[in-house]
Amino acid sequence: MATLIITTVIGGRRERHRWARDALTDAFVAFLEASWRHSDKAAQAASAGADAEQLLAEYREMRSQLTRMRLLATDGVVDAGQSLLRQQRQVHDVPAGPDRDAALAAASSARRGVIAAAKKEMGLL
């Protein structure tokens, strides 16, 4: 009977940890995918005319996923995510041209910071 109780408790903890890790992984992936889509659309908008609504939709998706990350991740990951979100907003706010190119480069650097923080969080570094 004691073995059954211990097994149930340990199994339940493992399942909760597995669920949290999977949910966090999903949030990381969705956050980064929205960031890449936002940057790609902003870069294309430089030559094809900006569609601010599409850019804003990707930015909103990033904010939504960052909220999930806040619930599941450590402060280091959240800080990296907030930094990237701010950089993506800068991409959104500056006009096409050299300023946008610089903002896209800064967003790319911040994205690498999120990836590093996510890998560390998941024990992959």
Side-chain angles (χ1 to χ4, degrees):
M1 182 65 143
T3 303
L4 178 62
I5 292 171
I6 291 171
T7 302
T8 302
V9 169
I10 291 173
R13 284 186 192 153
R14 282 188 195 140
E15 281 302 311
R16 278 191 305 247
H17 287 285
R18 184 175 300 137
W19 173 86
R21 186 182 63 238
D22 291 346
L24 185 56
T25 300
D26 291 345
F28 286 148
V29 170
F31 181 76
L32 290 167
E33 284 178 345
S35 172
W36 275 303
R37 284 191 307 266
H38 185 274
S39 289
D40 289 346
K41 288 176 183 177
Q44 291 169 356
S47 60
D51 186 348
E53 193 56 40
Q54 285 183 346
L55 290 175
L56 195 54
E58 297 303 343
Y59 181 80
R60 286 184 189 127
E61 175 64 16
M62 288 181 66
R63 279 190 7 211
S64 175
Q65 295 305 325
L66 185 58
T67 298
R68 289 177 64 200
M69 290 165 48
R70 281 184 179 108
L71 296 171
L72 298 166
T74 60
D75 289 343
V77 173
V78 173
D79 291 345
Q82 288 174 326
S83 176
L84 176 54
L85 189 67
R86 281 191 297 275
Q87 292 300 325
Q88 292 292 165
R89 187 62 199 202
Q90 183 68 21
V91 168
H92 180 81
D93 289 344
V94 298
D99 289 341
R100 182 169 287 170
D101 293 342
L104 285 165
S108 179
S109 177
R111 194 176 303 114
R112 285 190 297 276
V114 170
I115 291 168
K119 285 181 175 181
K120 183 177 179 183
E121 178 86 5
M122 294 185 298
L124 299 175
L125 281 181

